[in-house]
Structure formats: C-alpha cells, structure tokens
Amino acid sequence: MAELGYRVLGVEHKSVPPAAWGMTAREFLSTAPYLDEFATPVLTVDRAALESNLAVMAEWAAAAGVRLAPHGKTTMAPQLWAGQLAAGAWGITLATGWQAQVGRAFGLTRILLANALVDPVGLRWAAEQLRRDPDFEFLSWADSVATVRQMERHLPEGTRLPVLVELGGPHGRTGARSVEEALDVAAAIVRSERLELAGVGGYEGALAHDRTDGAVAAVRGYLDELARLHRELSGRYERPAIVTAGGSAYPDLIVERLAGLADEQGAHGVPTTVVLRSGAYLIHDDGFYSGISPLADPSAGPALRSAMHGWARAVSRPEPGLALLDAGKRDLPFDEGLPVPQRHSGGEGVPPGAHVSALNDQHTFLRWPGGGDVPVGSVVRLGLSHPCTAFDKWRLIPVIDDADAARPRVVDLLHTFF
C-alpha cells in the first residue's frame, strides 16, 4: 500500500495539474496543494465525511450483531479497503476474478467473491492462492448444478474451494430461483471432491429499488427464504457457515430478518456468521442512497453523508437560463440520477430552480427558470448519485479536507484499479 505514494503522476491522471507530472504522489502532496490547482472537471472525496461514514457503519453493524465485508468493487481503491479493514471489517467483497487478483496483490487475506467463478483462469488462480497460503480465505458462489460442474472441471485435484449457494428471486439477477433448486445446488457441492459447502448468499437489491410497501415486502420475503435455505442446510455444512446479503439500500431489513441466525460459537447449531456486503456506505451520495438508506437520516442519530462531489466549470452561456459545464458522462455518474448543483465559485448558492437536465459525453446542461447567474468560468460543485459509477471514471481521486471550505486543500490521493 505504501508503494502507491511512490507512483509517478502523469498525463494519464485526469485533471492533475501539469506541474505535478513527473512527481510522485507523495512529492506532490508535500506541496500542500489546493483543489483549485486541479483542472476541471474533477471528482473529489471529502475526508471528514469519509471518516464519519466509516465510523457510523462500523458502529451500526457491531450493535446489530453482524459482520461487514464491504463490496470493494464500489471504489476499487485499496487505500479505502485498508481503512475499512482497520475499522473492523470481516473481509472485502469483490465481483470478478480479476478484482480478486487485485485485492490479493494488495494483501487481502479474506475475499468474498459475490459471484460465480467459472472462468478457468480465475479458478486455477484461486486454487493456487489457496495452495500457497493456508491462511488465505477465498469464497465463491454457485447458483446451479451446471456451475458446480464447471468449477469442478477446471479446479485441480486436491483443491477444496469454499462455495456459497446463491439464492435469487423472480425477475432478479443471478441465483437459484427457489429454495428447492438451491438445495439441489448444495447437494452437488457436498458431493464434490473439489468444493465445500460454506453457506448461503444473495442480493436483495435486485428485487426492489425503493421504500414502498411492496418493495419492502419483496425484500423481507426474499430474506426469509434465504434464512429458510440456511436452516434447511444446517446438517450439511462442512465448515462454519456464512449467511450474506447486500446491505447498501436495505441494511435494516437484513438485520431484521437475518441477524438472528448469527451463532459464531455454534451454541444453538452450526457456527454461523451473518455478513453484510454493503458497498456504498463509505462514500454514500446525494442521490439514490441518500433517499433509500435508513442510515442517512440525521434525526435518528449519526448519519451517513455524501463524501463525493463533482466540480465542473461553466464554459458556455449560449442562451438565458442555460450554462454548459465541462463535465459529462465520461466524468460523472448518471445511471441513478443526474448530478445536482449545490453551489458555485465564491461559496454562492446556485440560482433558484437550478437543475441538470442532461449530460453529454463532455458537457453538463445546467438550467434555471429565471434570476441569478452562473458566469462563464465559475466552478459549480455538484452532488452525485451512485458511487459505483463515479469512481470507475477516475484513476486518481483527490481527497480534500472539507468540501464546504471556501478553498479546499488536497490532503491525499486515492488510486483506483478499474
């Protein structure tokens, strides 16, 4: 991890000032740079919000009696993974064999792959890692007997790869579509000489997208089926069991329905660890997650808050009530809601009614019905939605001391691996 500080900055690092090219990250940070030294557009992470979110989620999970294996694919930033582990995370979740290889290269000792690993290259890599290091723990998923057969086909003899049975739901994503189908998958794993049954898992977020009564009922019903699957398998586990669900949008429902299964000492049956794979909490947002997460309500206690912002400069005022900013789809997320203008240069608020109506590849359409102004050359701070599709657009992300400061200072640089 320390070696990241010695990476040389260059033209491949979007928006880093040319004066920093040729410096190492450490050398540049030693100059105590300000954010306004960076070109626009730029994505930033707020250090104070980041540290607060880390503590809020760690304390909430501990009080609920569940473990955290944050989904590392959200940021693909090993520096942030290290902070999550230092705050007590049980492990790190990843989504592909390559992402797992990145995690292992940065020293991860427990990786939960929230996906089926059927790629021959990835399977052979995982087997070799397990062979080399008895202390390394790697868990994968399977949602069909065909998946089990494919894994067996490519794993070398002598491998014992822990596998969780994945339960899905109607119109969901992956996952066996019923408990009965999932039991068949578990039976195939138990029969395997190269796999071992390690638990059950799934993703409730594929079945709902809001907090309406119907959505909450669908999530609860799914989690109840996941709990039933675990109970049905209690006599077949070959090792301590894991029960895992997502947890970025519905962590409260997971705790409500699954936390009671936690029994890490095996006092009431098979030793069981309940794991949340929440990925978005660390960065949070000013869009989708701020509207759906129960941990975003400050009236209920310490709350998550957005740690990311986009900063874009007005480059054109072609007609009244319209400014074009120099950020677009290549720079900012847009799949879970468009950016929200929050203020512009000098700490001023944006004109009343200001909103983003569209994003092109390299332009943001900022509109307002009347009054106020966003002059050419002014910089607009934008609230963003969905950290998963924000970080993947940046190889290097400046961490600032305070996004609300009149002149934020850059205190760190996050390296991403996408």
Side-chain angles (χ1 to χ4, degrees), residues 69-369:
H71 212 322
K73 61 91 179 170
T74 299
T75 64
M76 285 304 293
Q79 293 152 282
L80 296 182
W81 302 344
Q84 291 170 306
L85 290 168
W90 176 86
I92 295 293
T93 298
L94 294 163
T96 70
W98 172 76
Q99 289 177 3
Q101 291 160 17
V102 172
R104 188 65 176 143
F106 280 92
L108 295 185
T109 58
R110 179 185 280 137
I111 295 173
L112 174 57
L113 191 75
N115 211 342
L117 184 61
V118 295
D119 170 61
V121 174
L123 285 166
R124 289 192 290 267
W125 170 83
E128 179 61 14
Q129 292 297 310
L130 292 168
R131 185 192 66 79
R132 287 183 181 182
D133 184 358
D135 295 325
F136 175 52
E137 190 170 0
F138 180 84
L139 304 105
S140 185
W141 289 11
D143 69 352
S144 70
V145 173
T147 300
V148 172
R149 290 173 180 161
Q150 181 75 0
M151 296 177 80
E152 289 180 304
R153 178 183 173 190
H154 296 288
L155 286 170
E157 186 176 351
T159 303
R160 295 292 287 170
L161 180 65
V163 179
L164 279 65
V165 179
E166 182 190 2
L167 182 68
H171 314 296
R173 200 163 62 186
T174 53
R177 288 310 197 241
S178 69
V179 169
E180 290 67 34
E181 289 181 23
L183 290 171
D184 291 339
V185 179
I189 295 170
V190 170
R191 290 193 300 268
S192 174
E193 296 181 354
R194 291 174 169 80
L195 308 175
E196 58 181 348
L197 183 61
V200 301
Y203 177 52
E204 73 292 338
L207 306 176
H209 206 68
D210 53 42
R211 285 270 171 177
T212 60
D213 290 346
V216 170
V219 171
R220 282 181 170 143
Y222 167 74
L223 295 171
D224 288 345
E225 288 294 273
L226 191 63
R228 180 164 78 90
L229 174 60
H230 170 65
R231 293 189 183 100
E232 292 274 355
L233 293 175
S234 62
R236 305 191 206 181
Y237 289 121
E238 304 166 67
R239 50 176 283 150
I242 295 163
V243 177
T244 178
S248 285
Y250 305 102
D252 54 331
L253 301 185
I254 294 171
V255 166
E256 173 190 296
R257 266 13 202 203
L258 300 182
L261 301 174
D263 183 15
E264 296 191 350
Q265 303 305 314
H268 303 96
V270 62
T272 301
T273 300
V274 176
V275 178
L276 268 67
R277 305 188 312 277
S278 312
Y281 77 88
L282 186 62
I283 302 302
H284 198 53
D285 70 7
D286 280 311
F288 175 70
Y289 287 108
S290 68
I292 198 170
S293 173
L295 303 181
D297 181 5
S299 68
L304 301 177
R305 50 196 177 101
S306 182
M308 66 175 180
H309 297 90
W311 306 76
R313 193 178 305 273
V315 296
S316 175
R317 283 289 314 279
E319 59 189 61
L322 172 65
L324 278 300
L325 311 182
D326 62 357
K329 294 178 181 179
R330 304 284 175 86
D331 313 298
L332 304 175
F334 58 93
D335 59 317
E336 290 285 4
L338 294 172
V340 177
Q342 295 177 329
R343 71 175 210 197
H344 67 83
S345 301
E348 300 175 26
V350 295
H355 65 281
V356 171
S357 63
L359 263 67
N360 292 162
D361 285 353
Q362 306 291 178
H363 289 95
T364 295
F365 288 72
L366 176 61
R367 299 182 183 274
W368 59 94

Side-chain angles (χ1 to χ4, degrees), residues 58-69:
E59 291 169 8
W60 184 88
V66 297
R67 302 282 188 163
L68 278 176

